[in-house]
């Protein structure tokens, strides 16, 4: 599939982007983790970065934080080159890493929060206390004795409490039970309503953040294969209910992400990537009868852009 | 361009203060163990004194302990950090290289507090047992700097002199610990596997010496032994840094009478100690700064790819 990079809403030169990368590449020996990625995250947008395991999502976030050196290209956060201004970039960023590791195992949660507060002059102590309450942090418990979910709560509190203008959340709800997941998403929504914040989230659970999402990017084997606004994605990836004549052959370059057929009728349902009018025209020209075109939920539309083995 | 109001980075003084606090907190466990050992040692010394043993003298330059602690201290300072990976320390908004040096400085502050505590404790012990506190005391001096073979030294050849340690020798434990700490910290932040280096380098020297002896290559054997001698017992060697050469100058000999006595081949020289201290700490700082470049904030290795 050729990349579907929207020219609209932040997909341009990155002038109004909080985060932009240009040809960002990361290699680990011979393995290419990121291959010339041009990410555009508009200011104050919630951008969901999707991809199968190993697609390069976490690597992209690490490069934005300047935690690892890029093999090529640039990454900019609020106009700051991440490679040259790592500390300044990290000061603007609330980061939830992929790993469930909140730092010093011998510290208590309360001590870690206090420790972090010194490093962020913008730390909001009242808000940190509110987050601790809402996420039911066990402030007296040592970090080394926390469960995976408890550690995630601490990481989320650390990321949000200094009210950063940018949140980089790598699987933020991973390890949380459904009740806490819901609470975290509510807190995130509240956070976004309170203060203009740009959010870049990687997740395998798009439905959880569906209500917040503005933009979607899809990484496949280190390459950014799609990047567009949410509504554009839902217009680009749609479900077509088609009636097919006998011996019908689909146009060769039609991008069919998923299909379902009915034996009782001659109908098939195809999830097709492309402009609706153009797809309809081509199907009709090829002899098929398009009965209905419907939008997909965001998660389904986004997953249609992932490799087949992931999207099914 | 973004409309976000950018947040400032922390002041380096705040980061240092916080790291001092963090390192001190992280050392609570080892500190308790050290305190228990110190208390046990002191109890034994007092018990011996009460039962007729000698008092405990206060001679800070004679103890290698601060130097040894200085060498080991970086292990405790860095034990919770993934020095070459992604750890909490590196997620914070401080330049990575500077942050590494801040942590080293914080560890040094804690080390100095530890040495001070140890000295005050030893001073207290000397006061309790009525020991000599940097006062004059008689020492036996060898007529020449060369230690004779066992059982051949005539007791009449020994000269007894009154030795009054210079007050500046109070500083030896602090400078010894500092020099050792700076060197060990350079290894800690500069190499991925410090233990391999710590074991590998002496082993290599030993291997060279063994090969020289086995193959009867005197040059090789001498090279190894002279290198060790130069680094350890040389005029400005490690012993000069750690004990103002009190360790290498003081030795036990067996007299012709069969009696074993402690003798001095010379007395500590303040000038030599000062030069050795400056050399070792200076070299340590240079190596530390060079080693910290391994932790530098990552730089882009090549020009951006053209669209």
């Amino acid at each position: 599939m050729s990349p579907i990079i929207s020219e609209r809403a932040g997909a341009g030169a990155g002038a109004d982007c909080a985060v932009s990368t240009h040809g960002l590449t990361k290699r680990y020996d011979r393995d290419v983790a990121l291959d010339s990625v041009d990410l555009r995250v508009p200011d104050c947008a919630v951008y969901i970065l999707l991809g199968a395991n190993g697609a390069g999502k976490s690597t992209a976030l690490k490069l934005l934080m300047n935690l690892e050196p890029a093999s090529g290209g640039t990454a900019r956060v609020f106009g700051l080159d991440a490679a040259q201004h790592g500390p300044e970039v990290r000061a603007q960023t609330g980061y939830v890493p992929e790993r469930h590791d909140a730092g010093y195992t011998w510290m208590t949660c309360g001590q870690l929060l206090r420790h972090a507060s010194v490093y962020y002059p913008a730390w909001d102590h009242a808000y940190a206390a509110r987050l601790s309450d809402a996420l039911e942090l066990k402030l007296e418990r040592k970090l080394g004795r926390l469960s995976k979910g408890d550690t995630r709560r601490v990481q989320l509190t650390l990321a949000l409490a200094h009210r950063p203008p940018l949140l980089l959340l790598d699987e933020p709800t991973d390890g949380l039970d459904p009740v806490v997941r819901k609470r975290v998403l509510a807190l995130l929504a509240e956070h976004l309503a309170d203060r203009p914040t740009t959010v870049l989230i990687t997740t395998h659970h798009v439905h959880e953040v569906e209500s917040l999402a503005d933009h979607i990017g899809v990484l496949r084997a280190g390459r950014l294969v799609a990047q567009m606004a949410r509504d554009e994605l839902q217009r680009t990836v749609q479900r077509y209910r088609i009636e097919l004549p006998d011996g019908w052959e689909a146009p060769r370059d039609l991008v069919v992400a998923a299909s379902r057929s009915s034996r009782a009728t001659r109908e098939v349902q195809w999830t097709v990537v492309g402009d609706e009018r153009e797809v309809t025209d081509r199907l009709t020209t090829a002899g098929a009868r398009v009965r209905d075109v419907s939008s997909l939920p965001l998660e389904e539309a986004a997953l249609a852009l992932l490799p087949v083995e992931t999207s099914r | 361009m973004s409309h976000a109001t950018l947040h400032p980075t922390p002041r380096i003084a705040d980061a240092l203060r916080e790291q001092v606090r963090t390192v001190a907190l992280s050392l609570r466990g080892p500190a308790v163990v050290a305190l228990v050992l110190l208390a046990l040692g002191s109890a034994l010394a007092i018990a011996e004194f009460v039962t007729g043993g000698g008092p405990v003298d206060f001679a800070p330059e004679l103890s290698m302990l601060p130097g040894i602690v200085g060498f080991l201290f970086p292990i405790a300072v860095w034990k919770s950090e993934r020095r070459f990976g992604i750890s909490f320390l590196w997620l914070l908004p401080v330049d990575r290289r500077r942050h590494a040096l801040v942590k080293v400085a914080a560890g040094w502050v804690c080390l100095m507090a530890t040495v001070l505590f140890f000295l005050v404790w030893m001073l207290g012990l000397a006061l309790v047992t009525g020991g000599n506190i940097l006062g004059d005391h008689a020492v036996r001096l060898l007529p020449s700097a060369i230690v004779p073979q066992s059982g051949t030294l005539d007791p009449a050849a020994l000269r007894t002199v009154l030795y009054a340690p210079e007050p500046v020798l109070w500083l030896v434990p602090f400078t010894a610990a500092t020099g050792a700490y700076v060197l060990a910290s350079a290894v800690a932040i500069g190499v991925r596997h410090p233990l391999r280096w710590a074991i590998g380098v002496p082993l290599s020297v030993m291997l060279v010496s063994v090969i020289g002896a086995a193959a009867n290559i005197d040059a090789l054997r001498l090279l190894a032994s002279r290198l060790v001698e130069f680094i350890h017992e040389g005029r400005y060697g490690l012993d000069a840094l750690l004990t103002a050469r009190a360790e290498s100058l003081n030795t036990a000999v067996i007299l012709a009478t069969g009696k074993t006595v402690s003798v001095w081949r010379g007395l500590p020289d303040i000038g030599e100690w000062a030069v050795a201290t400056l050399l070792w700490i200076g070299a340590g700082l240079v190596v530390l700064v060079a080693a910290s470049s391994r932790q530098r904030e990552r730089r882009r290795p090549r020009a951006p790819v053209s669209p």
Side-chain angles (χ1 to χ4, degrees):
Chain A
M1 185 199 293
S2 57
I4 311 162
I5 309 293
S6 168
E7 291 302 322
R8 188 172 75 81
D16 285 324
C17 287
V19 174
S20 62
T21 67
H22 176 58
L24 194 63
T25 302
K26 177 67 185 175
R27 288 185 209 93
Y28 296 101
D29 298 323
R30 286 184 182 178
D31 294 333
V32 180
L34 278 184
D35 189 0
S36 211
V37 168
D38 292 343
L39 210 58
R40 301 282 182 267
V41 182
D43 202 11
C44 299
V46 177
Y47 187 114
I48 314 294
L49 187 59
L50 293 172
N53 291 330
K57 306 183 298 292
S58 300
T59 304
L61 266 51
K62 284 179 202 163
L63 298 191
L64 289 173
M65 289 281 285
N66 201 32
L67 300 175
E68 289 189 359
S71 308
T74 54
R76 288 190 169 273
V77 173
F78 298 119
L80 298 165
D81 184 333
Q84 302 297 325
H85 300 279
E88 290 81 2
V89 167
R90 291 195 290 276
Q92 319 311 321
T93 310
Y95 176 54
V96 172
E98 183 187 22
R99 284 171 60 107
H100 290 259
D101 174 6
Y104 309 107
T105 50
W106 50 268
M107 267 192 189
T108 63
C109 297
Q111 285 170 335
L112 183 71
L113 290 183
R114 192 212 157 277
H115 175 66
S117 72
V118 176
Y119 281 90
Y120 295 99
W123 188 271
D124 185 338
H125 289 275
Y127 185 45
R130 198 144 57 82
L131 287 168
S132 303
D133 280 348
L135 294 172
E136 295 171 3
L137 294 193
K138 298 162 180 118
L139 294 174
E140 298 307 318
R141 185 170 288 186
K142 290 206 168 154
L143 293 162
R145 300 185 62 192
L146 294 184
S147 68
K148 201 172 161 187
D150 287 342
T151 306
R152 212 30 145 203
R153 296 184 213 201
V154 175
Q155 290 174 323
L156 282 160
T157 307
L158 288 168
L160 296 172
H162 59 108
R163 294 199 178 270
L166 171 67
L167 287 170
L168 298 179
L169 309 177
D170 199 346
E171 301 285 353
T173 56
D174 188 31
L176 300 177
D177 64 58
V179 176
V180 181
R181 275 177 187 222
K182 208 170 167 186
R183 205 175 301 156
V184 165
L185 294 167
L187 280 171
L188 194 56
E190 191 186 308
H191 186 94
L192 299 180
D194 275 0
R195 202 164 289 211
T197 309
T198 307
V199 189
L200 174 54
I201 308 179
T202 75
T203 181
H204 290 298
H205 309 285
V206 182
H207 62 276
E208 287 182 350
V209 284
E210 187 163 350
S211 60
L212 303 173
D214 299 316
H215 286 74
I216 304 285
V218 180
L219 278 172
R220 187 187 289 181
R223 294 190 71 89
L224 192 67
V225 294
Q227 176 169 249
M228 61 190 76
R230 171 205 181 112
D231 54 345
E232 201 176 353
L233 172 71
Q234 287 180 299
R235 277 202 311 274
T236 306
V237 183
Q238 298 194 93
R239 182 172 293 145
Y240 294 76
R241 196 156 61 86
I242 314 160
E243 199 178 305
L244 304 175
D246 286 334
W248 189 80
E249 271 187 36
R252 281 190 182 173
D253 50 354
L254 201 65
V255 183
V256 182
S259 68
R260 196 163 49 186
S261 58
S262 161
R263 287 191 180 182
T265 66
R266 286 179 173 179
E267 263 186 25
V268 293
Q269 283 188 16
W270 280 359
T271 302
V272 183
V273 181
D275 176 69
E276 182 185 337
R277 184 179 293 176
E278 198 183 310
V279 171
T280 307
D281 283 353
R282 290 174 64 196
L283 288 168
T284 309
T285 310
R289 189 172 161 205
V290 178
R291 286 188 162 272
D292 179 39
V293 181
S294 57
S295 291
L296 294 168
L298 185 66
E299 180 162 30
E300 243 180 281
L303 289 179
L305 298 171
L306 290 177
V308 176
E309 62 272 23
T310 317
S311 61
R312 284 184 182 167
Chain B
M1 205 56 174
S2 166
H3 307 296
T5 311
L6 297 188
H7 288 186
T9 52
R11 289 182 312 160
I12 213 71
D14 292 338
L16 176 62
R17 206 173 303 124
E18 183 55 22
Q19 279 303 320
V20 170
R21 202 181 144 274
T22 306
V23 172
L25 265 177
S26 75
L27 292 174
R28 275 187 308 185
V32 169
V33 174
L35 199 60
V36 169
L37 291 175
L38 196 59
L40 277 175
S42 304
L44 286 174
I46 291 172
E48 197 181 321
F49 171 69
V50 170
T51 55
V56 178
D57 290 339
F58 181 68
E61 82 280 12
L62 289 181
S63 174
M64 284 190 83
L65 196 60
I68 293 168
V69 171
F71 273 121
L72 299 176
F73 218 68
I75 297 173
V77 171
W78 290 94
K79 73 170 187 235
S80 314
E81 308 287 1
R82 271 194 292 277
R83 292 161 300 122
F84 288 90
I86 296 174
S87 72
F88 189 76
L89 186 72
W90 311 133
L91 295 182
L92 296 167
V94 179
D95 176 83
R96 186 168 169 151
R97 181 182 194 176
R98 196 180 289 186
H99 213 177
L101 291 172
V102 161
K103 196 165 183 79
V104 170
W108 178 77
V109 171
C110 294
L111 175 64
M112 291 300 102
T114 307
V115 172
L116 181 65
F117 178 80
F118 172 70
L119 281 188
V120 170
W121 185 287
M122 294 309 289
L123 184 64
L125 200 59
L127 286 171
V128 167
T129 59
N132 187 356
I133 299 167
L134 282 179
D136 296 354
H137 55 281
V139 297
R140 294 185 195 89
L141 264 184
L142 273 174
S144 77
I146 298 159
V147 181
Q149 282 191 330
S150 291
T152 62
L153 183 65
D154 180 3
L158 289 174
R159 195 156 54 93
T160 302
V161 295
L162 264 186
Y163 169 52
E166 298 275 350
V168 76
L169 288 177
W170 281 67
L171 286 177
V172 172
F174 295 99
T175 54
T178 300
Y181 175 75
V182 168
L183 284 168
S185 293
V187 176
I189 64 170
V191 298
R192 281 178 190 269
H193 306 288
L195 207 60
R196 288 186 200 171
W197 283 85
I199 296 170
V201 170
L203 265 182
S204 305
V205 175
M206 204 185 293
L207 196 67
V208 168
S209 176
V210 168
I211 291 171
N216 215 9
I217 307 171
D218 277 351
L220 215 54
R221 193 171 48 78
L222 279 174
L223 177 77
S225 67
R226 282 194 183 153
L227 185 69
V228 171
E229 203 176 294
F230 175 74
I231 290 177
H232 180 227
E233 293 185 357
R235 180 176 292 230
Y236 305 119
L238 267 180
D239 187 42
L241 168 76
L242 299 180
T243 66
R245 295 188 74 206
E247 180 73 17
S248 55
L249 290 173
N250 188 3
T251 185
V253 294
I254 301 170
L255 301 176
T257 58
K259 193 180 170 192
T260 305
V261 292
S262 165
V263 296
W264 290 75
R265 290 186 290 158
L267 294 174
D269 182 299
I270 295 297
E272 281 178 4
W273 163 74
V275 172
T277 297
L278 284 176
L279 281 177
W280 279 102
I281 294 180
L285 287 173
V286 169
V287 177
L288 178 68
V289 170
S292 70
S293 67
R294 294 287 314 275
Q295 301 292 348
R296 69 184 177 276
E297 193 68 33
R298 308 295 187 180
R299 297 285 183 236
R300 196 170 52 256
R302 61 187 71 160
V305 175
S306 321

